[in-house]
Amino acid sequence: MKFLAASLLTAVTAIPSQVHIALAGQDANGVSNGMNIAWKTEGNSAPLTSVKYSFTSVSVLDQTVTGTARNYLEDYGFHHQAIIQDIPCATSKVHYQVGGDADGWSEVFSFKPAPCSYDPIKVSIFGDMGYLDSEQRPMLIALDGLEKVWSATYTRETLETLKNEEAIDFVWLLGDIGYIDDSFSHTGSVVHFTYEETYDGYMQWMQNISATMPLMVLPGNHESGCHDPSCVTQFFKYGKHLMNFTAYNERWHMPSKESGGSRDTNMWYSFNYGPVHFVSINCETDFPGAGEEFLDDSGIPYLKAGGFGAEGEFLAWLEADLAKADAGRKAGGRPWIVVGGHRPYNTAFPLAGDLFQKYGVDMYFAGHSHSYSRTLSDGLAWIVVGGAGCEEMGPPASTLLFGPEGV
């Protein structure tokens, strides 16, 4: 009976959840011709990491790819990834499911691969998105900088509508993903460890979007580490394993390797989609004066950060990447170069402004400031889109007057 109960528990906890996809690979024409499929299973052992898929049929998934599973925090499940490669760019939809026969499969999801042509594309770009809202996750420990009334639900519902109407091709989230490091403020307890369960909740909340179109992300200051009191008081159990962007780099899988970016991380990378070369830069570490150059966002002396490349490696990569994209454009290739980073003009311009001008970057998108603004300077548009809603951003006046909570 005990063995049966344990077997049933394993089967239940190994069912895939939190499915999300990101662009991968690159063909001879620079098209992103793969898709990185990622998900999580609970339990203390890793089930087989498999993706069944088809380029033609939603009911007969006749191809299989296996991947890897990693556990970065003991007793908090396994994170899986596998890459579907060599997707013909003329494919209308790829159908897939993840899991295994022994432990269970996810539902079947579908996505559109990156296009072959340079036809116009539609992208949702924003930063600083929280998880749910102050009605569903009340602020019980209101520290400085935290808001009593806030909402990310409006952004989530808008994304759902855009997805259903096929009005966007993918999402580019410019850091501060879910504000997971603020999670303890919603429990009313400084003892309960909340970081992982909150990250799990956020990613499951986003699954209906993230499993059906690429969700591309980059690092913000709120990805730097866990600030639960338990991560500080129980450093060797929690904090040590979550510092220096660990959860961010283990959960997400961006096309860093194929773009020559940071080694085995998602700290900087680039990709092509339609007529645009997109560049995700790192505004948090690996350059002099970075916000988390040596320590994470908390400033606690033993919560170290940075060091994802050798000295000067990040900026050297950025210049080489922009130079290649600009040369390709001048030879008749993709006409647009768009850069995204977490922090706005006052950080990005001293960091890379000269490179943006030298290689003709068209637009720079950022978050961090919980607002919207745009500036045109010497042909470069600087755009801040950091108002997606989080517990550090109160609602605008229109929400206060007309919001569903009747504030």
Side-chain angles (χ1 to χ4, degrees):
M1 182 64 71
K2 290 183 179 179
F3 175 77
L4 176 60
S7 298
L8 290 174
L9 177 62
T10 300
V12 170
T13 58
I15 295 174
S17 66
Q18 306 169 46
V19 182
H20 54 287
I21 66 175
L23 296 165
Q26 193 172 106
D27 68 13
N29 297 315
V31 175
S32 298
N33 65 341
M35 199 67 75
N36 202 314
I37 317 294
W39 67 98
K40 184 181 180 183
T41 57
E42 301 296 339
N44 293 322
S45 61
L48 182 66
T49 297
S50 296
V51 177
K52 295 192 300 187
Y53 66 97
S54 172
F55 296 153
T56 58
S57 172
V58 70
S59 57
V60 181
L61 306 179
D62 54 359
Q63 300 188 66
T64 303
V65 62
T66 59
T68 60
R70 297 176 66 172
N71 165 261
Y72 64 84
L73 189 62
E74 188 176 359
D75 297 327
Y76 284 89
F78 282 79
H79 297 271
H80 306 254
Q81 67 154 329
I83 300 176
I84 300 176
Q85 298 178 326
D86 300 322
I87 304 172
C89 60
T91 304
S92 59
K93 284 284 182 74
V94 178
H95 312 284
Y96 76 97
Q97 64 180 165
V98 305
D101 291 335
D103 301 304
W105 292 91
S106 71
E107 63 181 282
V108 176
F109 300 102
S110 301
F111 64 82
K112 293 193 304 182
C116 307
S117 70
Y118 292 172
D119 290 342
I121 60 172
K122 297 160 288 186
V123 187
S124 179
I125 304 174
F126 57 87
D128 303 81
M129 181 185 183
Y131 170 38
L132 296 173
D133 52 52
S134 54
E135 222 177 52
Q136 300 174 81
R137 296 179 66 226
M139 186 65 63
L140 299 178
I141 302 176
L143 302 178
D144 288 346
L146 299 178
E147 296 285 343
K148 280 285 191 179
V149 181
W150 58 276
S151 178
T153 301
Y154 304 120
T155 296
R156 174 63 180 75
E157 290 176 348
T158 299
L159 287 174
E160 184 76 16
T161 298
L162 292 171
K163 179 200 70 132
N164 292 340
E165 295 176 352
E166 298 188 349
I168 54 175
D169 296 303
F170 69 89
V171 176
W172 198 15
L173 210 170
L174 307 172
D176 286 3
I177 305 163
Y179 282 73
I180 311 304
D181 62 347
D182 284 342
S183 60
F184 69 92
S185 61
H186 300 281
T187 67
S189 170
V190 296
V191 177
H192 182 56
F193 176 64
T194 60
Y195 188 91
E196 284 296 295
E197 65 186 56
T198 304
Y199 218 144
D200 290 346
Y202 172 82
M203 298 192 76
Q204 189 64 22
W205 187 55
M206 292 292 289
Q207 177 180 269
N208 196 35
I209 294 164
S210 64
T212 57
M213 65 177 61
L215 176 52
M216 311 303 289
V217 298
L218 56 81
N221 53 298
H222 281 271
E223 277 69 67
S224 62
C226 170
H227 302 150
D228 273 16
S230 51
C231 283
V232 177
T233 60
Q234 301 181 69
F235 174 71
F236 291 101
K237 183 176 182 179
Y238 298 125
K240 178 181 179 181
H241 304 288
L242 293 169
M243 68 181 188
N244 202 15
F245 299 85
T246 293
Y248 165 79
N249 281 314
E250 293 285 352
R251 286 174 176 264
W252 303 96
H253 305 282
M254 300 296 111
S256 183
K257 182 178 180 180
E258 48 268 69
S259 61
S262 56
R263 299 182 295 270
D264 299 319
T265 72
N266 311 295
M267 300 303 288
W268 57 87
Y269 63 91
S270 66
F271 61 95
N272 297 316
Y273 199 98
V276 184
H277 180 69
F278 290 92
V279 185
S280 286
I281 68 170
N282 172 19
C283 291
E284 306 307 312
T285 72
D286 287 81
F287 64 90
E292 289 81 54
E293 184 180 6
F294 303 112
L295 302 176
D296 85 1
D297 193 42
S298 69
I300 296 173
Y302 54 83
L303 295 182
K304 305 298 183 183
F308 293 100
E311 184 176 353
E313 180 180 336
F314 163 51
L315 292 178
W317 169 85
L318 178 59
E319 177 158 22
D321 188 88
L322 292 176
K324 181 180 178 181
D326 187 40
R329 173 170 56 187
K330 290 173 179 176
R334 289 176 178 79
W336 296 91
I337 301 175
V338 176
V339 179
H342 180 60
R343 299 183 187 236
Y345 178 92
N346 59 340
T347 295
F349 185 80
L351 168 63
D354 290 344
L355 295 179
F356 292 175
Q357 297 292 346
K358 181 177 180 180
Y359 297 109
V361 171
D362 298 290
M363 297 179 183
Y364 174 77
F365 286 91
H368 196 60
S369 296
H370 301 153
S371 60
Y372 171 81
S373 65
R374 61 183 181 184
T375 302
L376 185 64
S377 175
D378 295 325
L380 170 60
W382 300 85
I383 304 170
V384 174
V385 279
C390 66
E391 48 263 76
E392 296 187 4
M393 172 191 174
S398 60
T399 304
L400 285 171
L401 291 173
F402 307 111
E405 297 155 355
V407 177

